[in-house]
Amino acid sequence: MHLNKQGVRILGIAESWTGRERSILAGVVMRGDLRIDGTVLSHLTIGGMDGTDAVISMFSSLKRSDINLILISGAAIAWYNIINPDRIREETETPVIIITYEDSEGLEDAIKHHFPGDEERIQEYQKLGSRDQVHLKTGYTVFLRRSGIPPETALHILDRFTKDGRVPEPVRVARLIARSVMRSLLTGI
């Protein structure tokens, strides 16, 4: 990964969901100079197990060979739809960072409560392993799961793409797009 080049590109992915059956995923390709260089949309099932497939499909649909990293906001999105960063990295041949923003004891008990007997979901969650706690140059703490990228490189990338606060620009913009699309669907626009 060429982190110092101006044109480094990250695919940032974030979601928006309501009480409906599907969640909107938005992806933003952003260059190192923080210019947006592409977008992609998808959806996934709330409470389903199709999140990893949706991310892989989004990446593939862009038909680009210049994306250096996939940055995903959340490991259990759309009500415990577990993302598998290793599978995404293997199928896209692109490093993956999953970023979360709150410290927690984990989700295993909540998954067992909401999805009793769902061993596949529990196993997928357990595969995620522990998170790395990192401190951004902005003074905020975030938590990472990584695949195909060392911790110091992940922190360097996040510092480069985070202007203020704790949310890196590619996922911040992707979240705004996902929310806008969801609002449009809800209002029928």
Side-chain angles (χ1 to χ4, degrees):
M1 181 183 310
H2 305 287
L3 298 177
N4 295 324
K5 71 177 193 172
Q6 190 74 348
V8 64
R9 286 169 175 80
I10 291 180
L11 172 59
I13 296 176
E15 69 157 338
S16 180
W17 67 282
T18 64
R20 297 178 156 260
E21 293 180 11
R22 295 215 180 259
S23 170
I24 298 297
L25 285 182
V28 170
V29 179
M30 188 173 284
R31 297 183 343 188
D33 59 5
L34 303 184
R35 293 183 188 268
I36 294 172
D37 194 29
T39 59
V40 62
L41 291 171
S42 189
H43 57 82
L44 60 145
T45 307
I46 301 215
M49 288 295 291
D50 55 349
T52 298
D53 290 331
V55 171
I56 293 167
S57 177
M58 291 170 76
F59 179 89
S60 297
S61 73
L62 288 167
K63 298 184 186 328
R64 296 180 66 151
S65 61
D66 60 349
I67 294 172
N68 305 102
L69 176 79
I70 300 169
L71 176 61
I72 305 166
S73 184
I77 60 177
W79 205 53
Y80 306 106
N81 199 321
I82 310 298
I83 302 294
N84 182 327
D86 291 330
R87 189 169 143 233
I88 294 168
R89 180 189 45 79
E90 289 166 9
E91 292 195 29
T92 65
E93 300 178 345
T94 304
V96 176
I97 298 173
I98 294 178
I99 185 169
T100 54
Y101 309 98
E102 303 295 330
D103 197 5
S104 80
E105 296 296 316
L107 299 175
E108 193 165 335
D109 289 341
I111 292 170
K112 287 177 181 177
H113 172 76
H114 292 293
F115 300 91
D118 190 341
E119 290 305 314
E120 177 190 4
R121 191 178 310 267
I122 291 294
Q123 288 173 358
E124 284 299 307
Y125 179 72
Q126 289 172 343
K127 281 184 204 174
L128 288 170
S130 61
R131 302 181 299 168
D132 300 325
Q133 180 177 339
V134 299
H135 305 284
L136 299 176
K137 68 178 181 184
T138 60
Y140 288 89
T141 299
V142 295
F143 302 87
L144 309 179
R145 289 185 170 97
R146 304 167 287 101
S147 184
I149 183 170
E152 58 279 351
T153 306
L155 177 58
H156 177 78
I157 279 283
L158 293 178
D159 276 340
R160 182 171 179 188
F161 281 86
T162 306
K163 292 185 60 79
D164 50 46
R166 68 180 76 216
V167 182
E169 288 299 296
V171 295
R172 186 186 71 77
V173 174
R175 184 181 301 158
L176 290 171
I177 292 169
R179 286 179 182 165
S180 179
V181 171
M182 182 61 72
R183 269 193 308 272
S184 294
L185 292 173
L186 292 173
T187 60
I189 296 176

